[in-house]
Amino acid sequence: MSPLRYPDGHIGHLVTGLRSGRAVLGDTRFSSLPPGKRSPVKVPGSELSTDVLPPGMFVNMDPPEHTRYRRLLSKHFTIRRVRELQPRIQEMTDRLLDEMEGKGGPVDLVEAFAKPLPTLVTSELLGLPEENRAQFGHHVDVLFSLSSSGEEMQESMTLLGGMLHALIAAARKDQGPDILGRLTVETELTDEELLGITFVLLIAGLETTTNMLGLGTYALLRHPEQLAALRADWSLMDGAVEELLRYLSVVQIGPIRVAAEDFEFEGRPIRKGEVVTVSLPAANRDPLGFDDPDAFDIRRGATRHLAFGSGPHQCMGHHLARLELGIGYESLLRRFPGLELAVPAEEIGLREMMVTYGVLGLPVRW
């Protein structure tokens, strides 16, 4: 833990250690920005924050509100439910690779594969109409960009809210098998609560997995010895996914917590209202947590990383994300054994002005 000056001038804390990061995320004395608390960190959307937490935005809630929402959603993301989705995700993956192969190289892997796959999966889970999927993705990109203006964010938030309200109205009418349809039947959630929940699930389903698919493929192509080992033994895929999650740690900002009371944490006084930011990339490169942490090693067995967070707010969709990544990487690499970058590596643009790190594009050929 190190002192960190926040934009409002107060001195809080930055956590860069694996053990300390896990301890903060599991300690309920650290609040997930309780109602009535504006974001203390200037991140996308902070200009739009209000003193009232929107209903259904459970990622910024504490128990018992957070627990109530999470229980309503958790059954849709169990290992058993996710495994049932495997054939359908494989079918979507194969169709995208068919289209990519039909175009011939070079192609931008982000536009041809890394972005469409999570979009298709998330759209099916939430019941997003096909004609609106590109718009959903565009507005999410605007909200996650550190360079978007407040006006641009407000416009995207307004348009996205209107699209989600229409989606909720359709779900109440059709009562389909998707998550939103089930929630309208099985719960008494209001439209505003469903709006908040859908917003969270939409962003979680699109942003992180898209960037892991693109950046992960880039990392494998930059480490040919690791890629060769994977191609020689596909049973290493689960370990490769875990190592990519650790090594890349695409969520660059947060999680952010606020001390709900005065207490002592790991030998240092913490005052009520002080802000603590956990750096997931730093924690996942902690030399006290991982041997030779800056090395990329698919045989590492790195299952204790914090790529999905930890504690009560650990990413609920981590089973689904792991399944998508495993299917995506393996199917791509099996289909194109000669896959390689179509431009010099130093020409690949990186998402340095986004909350979620990744590649802006990934030109490849085979």
Side-chain angles (χ1 to χ4, degrees):
M1 294 185 74
S2 304
L4 180 68
R5 184 182 299 276
Y6 285 85
D8 63 1
H10 97 277
I11 303 297
H13 309 274
L14 175 68
V15 177
T16 56
L18 181 66
R19 182 181 59 82
S20 296
R22 182 173 285 109
V24 167
L25 297 177
D27 193 326
T28 56
R29 294 174 298 182
F30 290 108
S31 169
S32 300
L33 303 186
K37 187 79 175 180
R38 289 176 180 265
S39 174
V41 181
K42 185 176 175 58
V43 296
S46 58
E47 296 93 337
L48 310 179
S49 62
T50 65
D51 289 329
V52 179
L53 193 65
M57 296 289 286
F58 62 94
V59 292
N60 293 131
M61 293 180 178
D62 296 322
E65 292 85 2
H66 172 263
T67 309
R68 178 173 72 90
Y69 286 115
R70 192 166 176 113
R71 282 175 179 166
L72 293 175
L73 291 165
S74 60
K75 68 178 181 180
H76 297 285
F77 295 96
T78 62
I79 294 179
R80 179 179 177 182
R81 173 60 182 138
V82 166
R83 284 175 178 166
E84 291 173 353
L85 298 173
Q86 183 167 351
R88 181 66 178 132
I89 295 175
Q90 185 67 63
E91 180 184 329
M92 295 175 183
T93 301
D94 292 340
R95 177 157 58 87
L96 289 172
L97 294 178
D98 287 342
E99 294 172 358
M100 183 171 146
E101 187 173 19
K103 294 176 182 177
V107 300
D108 178 2
L109 190 74
V110 172
E111 292 302 319
F113 184 66
K115 182 175 283 188
L117 180 58
T119 300
L120 287 172
V121 174
T122 303
S123 296
E124 191 152 306
L125 286 175
L126 294 177
L128 304 184
E130 188 168 351
E131 62 271 16
N132 294 136
R133 291 172 185 177
Q135 291 176 275
F136 278 111
H138 166 73
H139 294 312
V140 170
D141 283 345
V142 170
L143 293 173
F144 265 69
S145 174
L146 295 172
S147 57
S148 294
S149 67
E151 292 76 17
E152 289 171 327
M153 289 187 197
Q154 185 64 65
E155 181 182 9
S156 278
M157 185 71 81
T158 300
L159 293 172
L160 189 58
M163 294 167 67
L164 291 178
H165 271 299
L167 185 67
I168 291 165
R172 288 200 182 280
K173 179 182 177 181
D174 300 335
Q175 299 182 351
D178 52 81
I179 293 176
L180 197 53
R182 292 298 86 207
L183 289 175
T184 64
V185 174
E186 298 167 0
T187 74
E188 296 182 357
L189 293 169
T190 66
D191 283 2
E192 291 305 313
E193 287 177 304
L194 289 171
L195 179 67
I197 289 172
T198 307
F199 183 77
V200 170
L201 296 181
L202 177 66
I203 288 177
L206 294 183
E207 190 68 11
T208 50
T209 310
T210 291
N211 288 291
M212 274 301 304
L213 282 170
L215 190 62
T217 302
Y218 180 54
L220 287 167
L221 294 176
R222 293 298 305 276
H223 294 82
E225 74 291 346
Q226 297 291 311
L227 179 54
L230 183 58
R231 289 188 185 280
D233 182 1
W234 293 110
S235 70
L236 296 174
M237 179 54 73
D238 287 348
V241 168
E242 297 304 321
E243 176 66 349
L244 285 165
L245 287 163
R246 180 202 72 85
Y247 183 73
L248 300 175
S249 301
V250 296
V251 177
Q252 294 289 295
I253 297 179
I256 301 164
R257 299 290 184 262
V258 176
E261 58 186 80
D262 293 344
F263 61 98
E264 186 173 288
F265 180 79
E266 298 195 342
R268 69 182 65 207
I270 302 291
R271 298 288 175 249
K272 181 178 180 179
E274 286 184 342
V275 178
V276 177
T277 297
V278 179
S279 172
L280 301 183
N284 284 339
R285 297 287 187 98
D286 182 357
L288 298 180
F290 304 99
D291 294 332
D292 196 9
D294 292 330
F296 175 53
D297 181 4
I298 63 173
R299 294 186 175 90
R300 181 186 298 275
T303 57
R304 296 184 64 253
H305 59 75
L306 294 182
F308 293 110
S310 186
H313 284 271
Q314 183 184 33
C315 175
M316 193 163 46
H318 66 96
H319 296 306
L320 177 61
R322 286 180 163 104
L323 179 65
E324 281 186 68
L325 294 174
I327 291 175
Y329 292 137
E330 182 167 347
S331 300
L332 173 69
L333 297 173
R334 281 182 180 271
R335 177 70 69 95
F336 303 111
L339 190 74
E340 63 179 6
L341 294 177
V343 299
E346 57 270 18
E347 292 184 14
I348 301 298
L350 300 170
R351 288 166 49 104
E352 296 175 342
M353 291 300 292
M354 304 291 281
V355 173
T356 310
Y357 193 58
V359 290
L360 295 172
L362 193 67
V364 295
R365 61 190 173 210
W366 50 90

